[in-house]
Amino acid sequence: MQPQSNTFALALKLLKARDRFESEVRGTLTAASSPTSEIDEAIAALRRMGFLNDERLAARTAERLSAKLWSRERIRRHLEHLDAPTETVATLPSDADTARSLATKSGKHGPALARKLLSAGFDSEIVRQICESD
């Protein structure tokens, strides 16, 4: 891949503002009518250079969403939607712990708490346990 390639230059421009998943970069390059062979070469070069790393970005995304008190399942679905690896979800805190943190932080009780937990993607059994202990 030649550094002066338009495809490579566009890929670098995309990554200048923020990290992106390979699928995002590939989709934008495809939409820009870049030849498939140039897209593949650009993606391979960016991986070799360390500018494109789906596993690293997926781990950071999962940690950020976990800190926002999302359930593991909701995070997994979000990563799948982004065509990102989902293995990192297994390293996150348990849903029961995260749901308890969200319950405490929200200050809600009863049905309002149940709605809050369900909307955050927690399993109905965890919601029931948290609400019963409330």
Side-chain angles (χ1 to χ4, degrees):
M1 171 60 51
Q2 297 177 3
Q4 60 268 37
S5 155
N6 288 339
T7 300
F8 187 76
L10 176 56
L12 280 177
K13 184 177 178 181
L14 290 170
L15 295 168
K16 182 179 176 182
R18 67 173 176 84
D19 280 342
R20 295 176 190 272
F21 289 106
E22 179 181 327
S23 61
E24 293 177 273
V25 174
R26 189 174 292 281
T28 301
L29 295 175
T30 300
S33 300
S34 295
T36 303
S37 61
E38 284 187 24
I39 293 172
D40 292 341
E41 289 176 25
I43 296 289
L46 291 167
R47 274 198 222 119
R48 279 193 308 277
M49 297 167 72
F51 293 146
L52 196 59
N53 185 324
D54 280 3
E55 291 78 17
R56 179 185 64 215
L57 183 54
R60 286 202 327 247
T61 301
E63 288 172 11
R64 180 178 52 81
L65 296 175
S66 180
K68 291 172 81 173
L69 304 175
W70 283 26
S71 71
R72 284 178 166 192
E73 180 60 21
R74 185 175 179 195
I75 294 168
R76 187 191 61 71
R77 286 191 317 261
H78 181 73
L79 290 173
E80 279 182 349
H81 175 74
L82 297 171
D83 290 327
T86 60
E87 295 80 21
T88 190
V89 172
T91 66
L92 299 174
S94 75
D95 273 353
D97 291 340
T98 304
R100 278 192 279 283
S101 295
L102 181 56
T104 301
K105 181 180 175 186
S106 74
K108 297 182 180 194
H109 302 281
L113 175 58
R115 283 190 298 276
K116 179 76 173 174
L117 293 171
L118 288 169
S119 70
F122 293 101
D123 179 79
S124 58
E125 182 58 28
I126 289 175
V127 172
R128 184 188 62 73
Q129 290 172 0
I130 299 293
C131 288
E132 284 179 356
S133 68
D134 184 38

